[in-house]
Amino acid sequence: MDKPLWEVIVDFINQTGFAHLTWQQAVMIGVSGVLIYLAIKKEYEPLLLLPIAFGMLLANLPLAGLMEGPIMEEGEVKQVGGLLYYLYQGVKLGIFPPLIFLGIGTMTDFGPLLANPKSFFLGAAAQAGIFAAFFLALLLGFTGPEAASIGIIGGADGPTAIYVTSLLAPELLGPIAVAAYSYMALVPIIQPPIMRALTTKAERQIVMEQLRPVSKLEKILFPIAVTLLGALLLPSTASLLGMLMLGNIFRESLVVDRLSKTAQNELMNIVTIFLGVTVGATANAELFLTIGTLKIVGLGLLAFGFGTAGGTLLGKLMCKLSGGKINPLIGSAGVSAVPMAARVSQVVGQKENPNNFLLMHAMGPNVAGVIGSAIAAGVFISLFG
Amino acid sequence: MDKPLWEVIVDFINQTGFAHLTWQQAVMIGVSGVLIYLAIKKEYEPLLLLPIAFGMLLANLPLAGLMEGPIMEEGEVKQVGGLLYYLYQGVKLGIFPPLIFLGIGTMTDFGPLLANPKSFFLGAAAQAGIFAAFFLALLLGFTGPEAASIGIIGGADGPTAIYVTSLLAPELLGPIAVAAYSYMALVPIIQPPIMRALTTKAERQIVMEQLRPVSKLEKILFPIAVTLLGALLLPSTASLLGMLMLGNIFRESLVVDRLSKTAQNELMNIVTIFLGVTVGATANAELFLTIGTLKIVGLGLLAFGFGTAGGTLLGKLMCKLSGGKINPLIGSAGVSAVPMAARVSQVVGQKENPNNFLLMHAMGPNVAGVIGSAIAAGVFISLFG
Amino acid sequence: MDKPLWEVIVDFINQTGFAHLTWQQAVMIGVSGVLIYLAIKKEYEPLLLLPIAFGMLLANLPLAGLMEGPIMEEGEVKQVGGLLYYLYQGVKLGIFPPLIFLGIGTMTDFGPLLANPKSFFLGAAAQAGIFAAFFLALLLGFTGPEAASIGIIGGADGPTAIYVTSLLAPELLGPIAVAAYSYMALVPIIQPPIMRALTTKAERQIVMEQLRPVSKLEKILFPIAVTLLGALLLPSTASLLGMLMLGNIFRESLVVDRLSKTAQNELMNIVTIFLGVTVGATANAELFLTIGTLKIVGLGLLAFGFGTAGGTLLGKLMCKLSGGKINPLIGSAGVSAVPMAARVSQVVGQKENPNNFLLMHAMGPNVAGVIGSAIAAGVFISLFG
Amino acid sequence: MNILEILESGTKIMIIGLATVFIALSGIVLTVTLISKAVNYERPNKGKAKTDIKENSNLEIKVAEETSKIETQAEDEELIALITAAVAASLNRSTHNVIVKSVNRITGTGSQWSKAGRYEYISSKL
Amino acid sequence: MNILEILESGTKIMIIGLATVFIALSGIVLTVTLISKAVNYERPNKGKAKTDIKENSNLEIKVAEETSKIETQAEDEELIALITAAVAASLNRSTHNVIVKSVNRITGTGSQWSKAGRYEYISSKL
Amino acid sequence: MNILEILESGTKIMIIGLATVFIALSGIVLTVTLISKAVNYERPNKGKAKTDIKENSNLEIKVAEETSKIETQAEDEELIALITAAVAASLNRSTHNVIVKSVNRITGTGSQWSKAGRYEYISSKL
Ligand code: NA
Ligand code: NA
Ligand code: NA
């Protein structure tokens, strides 16, 4: 404190972020601005994309150190870590994505799937996009764990993608999360041309029979059965699938309403804020401004496309096998992106035949796709984890 | 990756849970199924029992590792722990049960107790079940801390039982939690025969005077006084009793409505989900499928019975001393199990005399029983903790 | 257990808190009683003061050990820590205050500030109180970090004061939090005499022009601009300012309603309970019953006074410069204490001229004061942190 | 790894992965079908009624946020009926288009824990 | 430990335990009684009114979930009175059986923090 | 440190501190003014309408707690209009003083995630 005033001022200026801002950080701040625009103006999955974008902005402010860990000295904390560092632990330790799945479980009605279990095959076929993108990513030079994380974008399931990436390739969390949520928002633009290209007008006009009602008992037994089968076949999927099904049994049991409500509202919202901001905050300039990010964006788009094609093609096959009772358009809903992809099936179908209501039928493959990509995630985790 | 495809497939099959499922785990999964049935169909305290049962299911899935701790190497996390392991820390560190007590405090009206402070003695007498079961557990070969944890089942207070057990005998958490919540749900079946056996028809027909109104000031001073007296007498009860009373002052002060509402709804629900699932997840086959579990189930039932008898008998004595002004049926409500036990008093009383309304009078001993078992918990923790 | 019964009883009595209660602890319990009275009866910021007071009571119960850390042995936890110790980590690690700012951001309408950006200068001038109190605290013998924490009381912003103090002088957390929230509640008593002393009747009667409407786009760009400018100039203010602005963009974007609602209700309430109780619990007798506490109480009052004066005087100057278009009474609202201080401006103004509605105009400096003290906090943290 | 090895291992994983997904989902299809058979063998007409009711309801007003479970206790049904009538009357519509899903009494009727808080009310009815 | 020792130590702990519970609760009874005496000595008639009101109300409708505190500000009382009248009219009942416990304005009237959000509304009334 | 040094360093920090606060807020004032100029150059008449509406509403009833966003879908507007009319009729007031801000359907209309839950309802309307 014995320095003259002007020196103190110079020191102070040197401590500002302006003096340390790199052009890469400036670019990243610009990118976060674009994402904020997409989230607010274009409403691209704003619940996730807005926190992600703001987290990206915060993480690229020089010297702010919001993602920096604590400085330890002889087992004692000498300087506490940044706010986002602590919140990020929930992602790093694999806690937040399963909790979001808990909430999704309480909001998902598997009734249409139970009324027509064959929908499960469509939900499986649409996961082709995951493995196709994985394969292409390997060819583009990504390592196995990286390729797996990129492939999961094709699952069209944000929390699954974040969960797999945080375990297998945390350095890609930023671009993968952004790609996953952006393409989920773009489903109404990506899917229709592919669906039309792969189906005939006659197929698209098929009207499906009304679904049978599903009893309460079936709906309660379903989450137990899926947890058992899924987690016994693929133990590594237990936390995602288990929480999804715990949420669903909360919903269908009708006896724990207050837990169900909290899991799907407050708990999910709190976790979403923390997850979004901190996933965004992993996207610092060094990791994000690479050619890899461009590859990921491209591969993600391909993954969505292949998934849509896979579902639609199996839909065509099932249409044939069933003697024209199944409209192949519901196959594309198997990518998940609940409930957007099911609505796309509805809209595309209705354009050909204004009296065609596919929404309920498309919800079957749609929710099957969530289970399908959770299982694909389990495959990757058990191979590379 | 240079293995032939069939070998990869065999490896994969060996990595499934099916290949590692023991018969003990299968039995545990069956047990969890029974508990889910009791929770949903019979509505046995579903808010806790459903999460507990599902946690038990998840913990017995082989290789899923949901309760496994992280693998550390040279101070670095090499593999993150399972989801339920992290959530379980809230139980292990004694954080969740007091938070549930915070919520219970915001929902408890101590008015009937303040209107008739003698009810406190009934709430004390009903804790006899705790100590009787403790004594019998010692005789059956349990260690002191184990016997104390088993005894607390007789407190008919789930969070208290979980708190004591997590501190004194965490390996018994599964069976004790299941027994505690099951018997709480069975109070309407367990209590009436004992109550009838110990009272005469004339006693059961006694109509009690209406309670005096209690002023707001008394209701505000009460939680402060109880915290001071309780925690000064038994420091080890401070966290349970302190949180219960903090919740109650939130409630009675009328000036922090938004805190009160959150403590009793969202915070409590979140903690209940985490606590239930992870307490259930401690019940792996090794710890649960023992003769000890059967002993605990038996002792728990005896504890409830002795507690009911203790309360009813002191009720009889107070009836005599008061010249017939107190209906001994309200004594059994002292076991807590709020508000079920108070309703049992009401129902049994009304059967003898359709114009007899004991509910309000029974709420006094009922809420006194919560304080009573928190103090009994403090005794055990200070002796064995 | 081979001791005779009477010895066991004596041991037991020696283990009670009564046997260890010091007079200092008794005094602290008395102080907490007074604070509970102020919180409930006088409604002095009860949302914070009631938890703080109850935390103080709990922390001064001998042997309860609610704030004690775990006892470790060879890297293993031998005895778990107290409940409040664990909850306190959220304060110690600087997590809770920014989360409260997130909630405040979702509740703050910066519209009046955007309609009249000159209000910012008033929000800056009112921070004079911070630096004046800092200066006086240095003279009274406090160290730099302590003086900074005391000065921040003048920011009239509870979470900011707690954040700075937890980083720079955690041992002063109790008295500073109590002083900050008490004086915020006392703003209607502290400010009016100062405001009247520094303004003429004619000035107080000035009627201001209606504010222009502010577009949605301006309101969305504002939080981004403030985060960038503020955090680039003062990186150490990033977590407070960033969270405040994240909350505000949640609010203004209109597309993430469910996140906004949760951030301002349940998340904020949960954090408030934990923060209040644990900040109160830092106030043990040793740290609180010192002459320093009296000094802090005095300095805090001076800080509020100087802040009020600073804002009012700049208001006078701006009144002159604008040719009498600005009523200097809105300057005092710059101390923040949202929205109390703005209402004080309204009330004082209306007394002189019943047709004078200053509230909207005073909200500008009022919310500017929140940003102003966050920046002052950043200055102190970067100098002493 | 050279490109050929990558191709080989990538193909393997693709096959294993998609196969696993199909096997898992087929297992689920099988189980679900069996469950459905078992359940509907015993109780073929259940679940129907519910759906019919739903189709009748063009308009669902949720007076209070909480409960999604229709209260079945007589007292509540009476109250709901009353309010339904009142709302319908105000709206000038026939009652069978309007369903009042639930009426919240003091702090959440659905909750087990809140029952304690209601004992005064209950006792006044007994 | 042999069985005798267990019996002995078990009995000791039983006695100490139950005694402690009784002592603690007796202490609370004493304190509560003293408080009650002190409080009711000064204000013997308080608290009565509230109970009377409660007994009159056979029906409590909670229009919105939140507040448990009856709002006392004049504006709110007026609004509540209006709505009470409206609901009662619809229900064809006399008003003194119906209590509208609270009407929620924008995000929770009870809250301190929400006041900031309401200033526009307030100012428009001034 | 002696008293002089304290005075000196204290004064320095005061000056730096207050100056920083003023510089920061001046920077924000500048930016905000520029933004405002840019925004209002392109769209001078926006934002006006909203304020006018607000001034007309002396009374805002929030039937359900949740949404703060006025629903714009035709179906909802129709429902809101109906309820507004009903409430206004009951209150014997003209409708333009009453705004029903939102009517909550099953679990939160504002939410993206809840849309899935509503598909049955949607499909029944299609
Ligand atoms: Na999917
Ligand atoms: Na008890
Ligand atoms: Na301030």
Side-chain angles (χ1 to χ4, degrees):
Chain A
M1 281 298 147
D2 49 355
K3 286 182 280 184
L5 185 59
W6 67 266
E7 229 176 83
V8 176
I9 293 172
V10 169
D11 281 9
F12 201 85
I13 289 172
N14 278 330
Q15 283 179 21
T16 69
F18 288 113
H20 292 79
L21 188 71
T22 63
W23 70 264
Q24 288 94 337
Q25 287 170 326
V27 171
M28 286 306 291
I29 289 170
V31 170
S32 77
V34 172
L35 292 175
I36 290 172
Y37 170 81
L38 293 177
I40 297 179
K41 185 78 182 181
K42 299 283 174 190
E43 298 202 31
Y44 279 19
E45 298 280 332
L47 291 166
L48 264 299
L49 212 53
L50 183 55
I52 287 176
F54 208 87
M56 202 178 278
L57 189 156
L58 291 176
N60 285 286
L61 295 168
L63 305 186
L66 291 176
M67 274 298 269
E68 252 154 56
I71 300 169
M72 309 296 286
E73 220 161 66
E74 293 163 25
E76 291 287 299
V77 174
K78 212 196 142 204
Q79 199 187 327
V80 299
L83 172 67
L84 301 182
Y85 168 82
Y86 290 114
L87 299 181
Y88 179 62
Q89 301 309 306
V91 178
K92 198 174 162 194
L93 303 177
I95 297 169
F96 288 163
L99 291 183
I100 289 188
F101 257 46
L102 177 72
I104 291 175
T106 65
M107 288 191 289
T108 305
D109 178 3
F110 287 106
L113 188 54
L114 292 171
N116 186 13
K118 278 181 231 104
S119 308
F120 265 114
F121 296 116
L122 298 169
Q127 309 316 316
I130 292 179
F131 297 101
F134 162 77
F135 189 76
L136 291 173
L138 278 185
L139 290 183
L140 285 178
F142 287 100
T143 67
E146 286 170 353
S149 304
I150 294 166
I152 286 288
I153 297 174
D157 232 313
T160 307
I162 289 171
Y163 184 72
V164 171
T165 310
S166 71
L167 291 177
L168 301 185
E171 72 284 359
L172 299 183
L173 211 36
I176 286 179
V178 168
Y181 283 104
S182 301
Y183 290 135
M184 279 165 69
L186 289 173
V187 151
I189 295 164
I190 297 172
Q191 290 197 318
I194 301 170
M195 293 158 72
R196 282 198 208 97
L198 295 176
T199 52
T200 65
K201 193 175 175 71
E203 284 170 340
R204 292 199 292 275
Q205 286 180 331
I206 292 171
V207 175
M208 293 177 71
E209 278 172 32
Q210 217 191 310
L211 292 173
R212 71 166 178 92
V214 175
S215 71
K216 194 194 148 187
L217 183 55
E218 285 174 85
K219 287 189 174 180
I220 289 174
L221 291 175
F222 177 73
I224 301 172
V226 171
T227 306
L228 278 176
L229 274 171
L232 282 175
L233 191 66
L234 263 168
S236 49
T237 198
S239 76
L240 278 184
L241 210 55
M243 287 298 116
L244 184 71
M245 292 302 149
L246 176 60
N248 196 244
I249 205 169
F250 280 175
R251 170 197 175 91
E252 301 299 349
S253 71
L254 303 181
V255 292
V256 291
D257 231 63
R258 55 180 289 164
L259 302 186
S260 183
K261 253 187 18 122
T262 295
Q264 93 185 235
N265 292 308
E266 291 78 17
L267 178 55
M268 186 154 171
N269 293 342
I270 292 172
V271 172
T272 300
I273 295 173
F274 292 172
L275 177 119
V277 174
T278 59
V279 162
T282 61
N284 58 47
E286 250 168 287
L287 296 175
F288 201 93
L289 293 183
T290 63
I291 201 75
T293 298
L294 288 181
K295 288 184 193 167
I296 289 170
V297 168
L299 288 167
L301 182 58
L302 287 176
F304 268 72
F306 278 113
T308 305
T312 311
L313 288 174
L314 188 64
K316 257 175 106 84
L317 180 64
M318 286 171 69
C319 177
K320 292 265 156 60
L321 293 178
S322 68
K325 283 192 174 169
I326 289 173
N327 188 321
L329 289 178
I330 68 169
S332 64
V335 296
S336 28
V338 185
M340 200 82 82
R343 278 200 218 144
V344 169
S345 301
Q346 161 71 24
V347 169
V348 174
Q350 207 163 23
K351 262 194 197 145
E352 304 289 343
N353 177 353
N355 292 316
N356 204 354
F357 303 117
L358 294 176
L359 189 65
M360 285 281 272
H361 301 281
M363 282 310 295
N366 207 203
V367 296
V370 178
I371 298 174
S373 44
I375 287 170
V379 173
F380 284 141
I381 295 170
S382 77
L383 289 174
F384 301 111
Chain B
M1 282 298 146
D2 48 355
K3 285 182 281 184
L5 184 58
W6 67 267
E7 229 176 82
V8 175
I9 292 173
V10 169
D11 281 9
F12 201 85
I13 288 173
N14 279 329
Q15 282 179 22
T16 68
F18 288 113
H20 292 78
L21 188 70
T22 63
W23 69 263
Q24 288 94 336
Q25 287 170 325
V27 170
M28 287 305 292
I29 289 170
V31 170
S32 77
V34 172
L35 292 176
I36 290 173
Y37 170 80
L38 293 177
I40 296 179
K41 184 78 181 180
K42 299 283 174 190
E43 297 204 30
Y44 279 18
E45 298 279 332
L47 291 166
L48 264 298
L49 212 52
L50 183 55
I52 286 176
F54 209 87
M56 203 179 277
L57 190 156
L58 291 176
N60 285 287
L61 296 168
L63 305 186
L66 291 176
M67 275 297 269
E68 253 154 56
I71 299 169
M72 308 295 286
E73 222 163 63
E74 293 164 25
E76 290 289 297
V77 174
K78 212 197 141 202
Q79 198 187 326
V80 299
L83 173 67
L84 301 183
Y85 167 82
Y86 290 115
L87 299 181
Y88 179 62
Q89 301 308 306
V91 178
K92 199 173 161 194
L93 302 177
I95 296 170
F96 289 163
L99 291 184
I100 289 189
F101 257 46
L102 177 73
I104 291 175
T106 64
M107 288 190 289
T108 305
D109 178 3
F110 287 105
L113 188 55
L114 292 171
N116 185 13
K118 279 182 229 103
S119 307
F120 265 114
F121 296 116
L122 298 169
Q127 309 315 317
I130 292 179
F131 297 102
F134 162 76
F135 190 75
L136 292 172
L138 277 185
L139 289 184
L140 284 178
F142 287 101
T143 67
E146 286 169 355
S149 304
I150 294 166
I152 285 289
I153 297 174
D157 232 313
T160 307
I162 289 170
Y163 184 71
V164 171
T165 310
S166 71
L167 290 177
L168 301 185
E171 71 284 0
L172 299 183
L173 212 35
I176 286 179
V178 169
Y181 283 104
S182 301
Y183 290 136
M184 279 165 69
L186 289 173
V187 149
I189 295 164
I190 298 172
Q191 290 198 317
I194 301 170
M195 293 159 73
R196 282 198 207 96
L198 295 176
T199 52
T200 65
K201 194 176 174 70
E203 284 170 342
R204 293 198 293 276
Q205 287 180 332
I206 292 171
V207 175
M208 293 178 70
E209 277 172 33
Q210 218 192 310
L211 292 173
R212 72 166 177 93
V214 174
S215 70
K216 194 193 148 188
L217 183 55
E218 284 173 84
K219 287 189 174 179
I220 290 175
L221 292 175
F222 178 73
I224 302 173
V226 171
T227 307
L228 278 176
L229 274 171
L232 281 176
L233 191 66
L234 264 167
S236 48
T237 199
S239 77
L240 278 184
L241 210 55
M243 286 299 115
L244 184 70
M245 292 303 148
L246 176 60
N248 196 244
I249 205 169
F250 279 175
R251 170 198 175 89
E252 301 299 349
S253 71
L254 305 181
V255 292
V256 292
D257 231 63
R258 54 181 289 162
L259 303 186
S260 183
K261 253 185 21 120
T262 295
Q264 93 186 234
N265 292 309
E266 291 78 18
L267 177 56
M268 186 153 171
N269 293 342
I270 292 172
V271 171
T272 299
I273 295 173
F274 293 173
L275 176 120
V277 174
T278 59
V279 161
T282 61
N284 57 47
E286 250 169 287
L287 295 175
F288 200 92
L289 293 183
T290 63
I291 200 75
T293 298
L294 288 181
K295 288 184 193 168
I296 289 170
V297 168
L299 289 167
L301 182 58
L302 287 176
F304 267 72
F306 278 112
T308 304
T312 311
L313 288 174
L314 188 66
K316 258 175 105 84
L317 181 63
M318 287 172 68
C319 177
K320 292 265 155 62
L321 294 177
S322 67
K325 283 192 176 170
I326 289 174
N327 188 320
L329 291 178
I330 68 169
S332 63
V335 297
S336 25
V338 184
M340 200 84 81
R343 278 200 217 144
V344 169
S345 301
Q346 161 71 23
V347 169
V348 174
Q350 207 162 22
K351 262 193 197 147
E352 305 289 343
N353 176 352
N355 293 314
N356 204 354
F357 303 118
L358 293 175
L359 190 66
M360 284 281 272
H361 301 282
M363 283 309 296
N366 208 204
V367 296
V370 178
I371 299 174
S373 44
I375 287 171
V379 172
F380 284 141
I381 295 170
S382 78
L383 288 174
F384 300 112
Chain C
M1 281 297 144
D2 47 356
K3 285 181 282 184
L5 184 59
W6 67 266
E7 230 176 82
V8 175
I9 292 173
V10 169
D11 281 9
F12 201 85
I13 289 173
N14 279 330
Q15 283 178 22
T16 68
F18 288 113
H20 292 79
L21 188 70
T22 63
W23 70 264
Q24 288 93 337
Q25 287 170 326
V27 171
M28 287 306 292
I29 290 170
V31 170
S32 77
V34 172
L35 293 175
I36 290 173
Y37 170 81
L38 293 177
I40 297 178
K41 185 78 182 182
K42 299 283 174 190
E43 298 203 28
Y44 279 19
E45 298 279 332
L47 291 165
L48 263 299
L49 212 52
L50 184 55
I52 287 176
F54 208 86
M56 203 179 278
L57 189 156
L58 291 175
N60 285 286
L61 295 168
L63 306 185
L66 291 175
M67 275 297 270
E68 253 153 56
I71 299 170
M72 309 295 286
E73 222 162 63
E74 294 164 25
E76 291 288 299
V77 174
K78 211 197 142 203
Q79 198 186 327
V80 299
L83 171 68
L84 301 182
Y85 168 81
Y86 290 114
L87 299 181
Y88 179 62
Q89 301 309 305
V91 178
K92 199 174 161 193
L93 302 177
I95 297 169
F96 289 162
L99 291 183
I100 289 189
F101 257 46
L102 177 72
I104 291 175
T106 64
M107 289 191 288
T108 304
D109 178 3
F110 287 105
L113 188 55
L114 293 171
N116 186 13
K118 279 183 230 102
S119 309
F120 266 114
F121 295 116
L122 298 170
Q127 309 315 316
I130 292 178
F131 297 101
F134 162 75
F135 190 75
L136 292 173
L138 278 185
L139 289 184
L140 285 178
F142 287 100
T143 67
E146 287 170 353
S149 304
I150 294 166
I152 286 288
I153 297 174
D157 232 314
T160 308
I162 289 171
Y163 183 71
V164 172
T165 310
S166 71
L167 291 176
L168 301 185
E171 71 285 0
L172 299 184
L173 212 36
I176 285 179
V178 168
Y181 284 104
S182 301
Y183 289 136
M184 280 165 69
L186 288 173
V187 150
I189 294 166
I190 298 172
Q191 289 197 317
I194 300 171
M195 293 158 73
R196 281 197 209 98
L198 295 176
T199 52
T200 66
K201 194 175 173 70
E203 284 169 341
R204 293 199 292 275
Q205 286 180 330
I206 293 170
V207 175
M208 293 177 70
E209 277 171 34
Q210 218 192 309
L211 292 172
R212 71 167 178 93
V214 174
S215 70
K216 194 193 149 188
L217 182 56
E218 284 174 86
K219 286 187 175 181
I220 290 175
L221 292 174
F222 177 73
I224 302 172
V226 170
T227 306
L228 279 176
L229 274 172
L232 282 175
L233 190 65
L234 264 167
S236 49
T237 199
S239 75
L240 278 183
L241 211 55
M243 286 298 117
L244 183 72
M245 292 302 148
L246 175 60
N248 197 243
I249 205 169
F250 280 174
R251 170 198 175 91
E252 301 299 349
S253 71
L254 303 180
V255 292
V256 291
D257 231 61
R258 55 180 289 162
L259 303 186
S260 183
K261 254 188 17 122
T262 295
Q264 92 186 234
N265 293 308
E266 291 78 19
L267 178 55
M268 186 154 171
N269 293 342
I270 292 172
V271 171
T272 300
I273 295 173
F274 293 172
L275 176 119
V277 174
T278 58
V279 161
T282 60
N284 58 47
E286 250 168 286
L287 296 175
F288 200 93
L289 293 183
T290 62
I291 202 75
T293 299
L294 289 181
K295 288 183 192 167
I296 290 169
V297 168
L299 289 167
L301 182 58
L302 287 176
F304 268 71
F306 277 112
T308 306
T312 312
L313 288 174
L314 188 65
K316 260 175 103 85
L317 180 64
M318 286 171 69
C319 176
K320 292 264 157 61
L321 295 177
S322 67
K325 283 192 176 169
I326 289 174
N327 187 321
L329 291 178
I330 68 170
S332 63
V335 296
S336 29
V338 184
M340 200 84 81
R343 278 199 218 144
V344 169
S345 301
Q346 161 71 24
V347 169
V348 174
Q350 207 162 23
K351 263 195 197 145
E352 305 289 342
N353 178 352
N355 293 315
N356 204 354
F357 303 118
L358 294 175
L359 190 65
M360 284 282 270
H361 301 282
M363 283 309 296
N366 207 203
V367 297
V370 178
I371 298 173
S373 43
I375 287 170
V379 173
F380 284 141
I381 295 170
S382 77
L383 289 174
F384 300 112
Chain D
M1 278 202 292
N2 64 30
I3 191 75
L4 269 184
E5 283 170 356
I6 289 174
L7 275 175
E8 200 197 321
S9 86
T11 313
K12 261 189 221 159
I13 291 171
M14 266 183 82
I15 292 169
I16 294 172
L18 254 180
T20 310
V21 171
F22 266 97
I23 290 167
L25 296 199
S26 303
I28 296 176
V29 169
L30 194 72
T31 318
V32 163
T33 311
L34 289 176
I35 287 173
S36 154
K37 287 267 158 64
V39 167
N40 292 305
Y41 178 77
E42 288 180 30
R43 42 171 94 189
N45 294 328
K46 279 280 167 69
K48 198 73 187 283
K50 222 172 170 185
T51 322
D52 293 342
I53 292 169
K54 273 214 177 128
E55 284 171 0
N56 271 340
S57 64
N58 298 326
L59 179 63
E60 296 191 343
I61 297 171
K62 219 179 158 224
V63 172
E65 181 214 10
E66 271 211 337
T67 9
S68 67
K69 184 164 77 171
I70 296 172
E71 295 287 324
T72 49
Q73 293 154 300
E75 17 163 358
D76 283 338
E77 284 189 341
E78 193 198 324
L79 179 56
I80 288 169
L82 272 168
I83 294 176
T84 309
V87 171
S90 318
L91 293 172
N92 246 338
R93 291 181 169 212
S94 79
T95 45
H96 60 87
N97 282 332
V98 178
I99 294 182
V100 171
K101 260 224 157 158
S102 78
V103 171
N104 261 18
R105 285 167 203 282
I106 314 132
T107 50
T109 7
S111 137
Q112 299 271 331
W113 290 315
S114 72
K115 283 175 189 160
R118 277 188 293 150
Y119 68 88
E120 282 184 73
Y121 170 72
I122 294 165
S123 78
S124 76
K125 302 202 69 154
L126 289 169
Chain E
M1 279 201 292
N2 64 32
I3 190 76
L4 271 183
E5 283 170 356
I6 290 174
L7 275 175
E8 200 197 321
S9 85
T11 313
K12 260 187 223 159
I13 291 172
M14 267 183 79
I15 292 169
I16 294 171
L18 255 181
T20 310
V21 171
F22 266 97
I23 290 167
L25 296 199
S26 303
I28 296 176
V29 170
L30 193 71
T31 318
V32 163
T33 311
L34 288 177
I35 287 172
S36 153
K37 287 266 159 64
V39 167
N40 292 304
Y41 177 76
E42 288 180 30
R43 43 171 92 190
N45 295 328
K46 280 279 168 68
K48 199 73 186 284
K50 222 173 171 184
T51 323
D52 292 342
I53 292 169
K54 273 211 177 132
E55 284 172 0
N56 272 341
S57 63
N58 298 325
L59 179 64
E60 296 192 342
I61 297 171
K62 216 175 161 228
V63 172
E65 181 215 9
E66 271 209 339
T67 10
S68 68
K69 185 164 72 170
I70 297 173
E71 295 287 326
T72 49
Q73 292 154 300
E75 18 163 359
D76 282 338
E77 285 190 341
E78 193 197 325
L79 180 56
I80 289 169
L82 273 168
I83 294 176
T84 308
V87 171
S90 318
L91 293 172
N92 245 337
R93 291 181 169 212
S94 79
T95 45
H96 60 87
N97 283 332
V98 179
I99 294 182
V100 172
K101 260 226 157 157
S102 78
V103 172
N104 261 18
R105 284 167 202 282
I106 315 130
T107 50
T109 8
S111 136
Q112 298 273 330
W113 288 318
S114 72
K115 284 175 187 161
R118 277 187 292 150
Y119 68 88
E120 282 184 75
Y121 170 72
I122 294 165
S123 77
S124 76
K125 302 203 68 155
L126 289 169
Chain F
M1 277 203 293
N2 64 32
I3 192 75
L4 269 184
E5 283 170 358
I6 290 174
L7 275 176
E8 200 197 320
S9 86
T11 312
K12 261 188 221 159
I13 292 172
M14 268 183 79
I15 292 169
I16 295 171
L18 255 181
T20 310
V21 171
F22 267 97
I23 291 167
L25 296 199
S26 303
I28 297 175
V29 170
L30 194 71
T31 318
V32 164
T33 311
L34 289 176
I35 288 172
S36 153
K37 287 267 159 65
V39 167
N40 292 304
Y41 178 76
E42 287 181 29
R43 42 172 91 190
N45 294 328
K46 278 278 168 71
K48 199 71 186 284
K50 221 174 172 182
T51 322
D52 292 343
I53 292 169
K54 275 217 176 123
E55 284 173 358
N56 271 341
S57 64
N58 298 325
L59 180 64
E60 296 192 342
I61 297 171
K62 214 175 162 225
V63 171
E65 181 215 10
E66 272 209 338
T67 10
S68 67
K69 186 163 73 171
I70 296 172
E71 295 287 325
T72 49
Q73 293 155 299
E75 15 163 0
D76 282 338
E77 284 190 339
E78 193 197 325
L79 179 57
I80 288 169
L82 272 168
I83 294 176
T84 308
V87 171
S90 317
L91 293 173
N92 247 335
R93 291 182 169 210
S94 78
T95 46
H96 60 86
N97 283 331
V98 179
I99 294 181
V100 171
K101 259 225 155 157
S102 79
V103 172
N104 261 19
R105 284 168 203 282
I106 314 130
T107 50
T109 7
S111 138
Q112 299 272 329
W113 288 317
S114 72
K115 284 174 189 160
R118 277 188 293 151
Y119 68 89
E120 282 184 73
Y121 171 73
I122 294 165
S123 77
S124 77
K125 303 204 67 156
L126 289 169

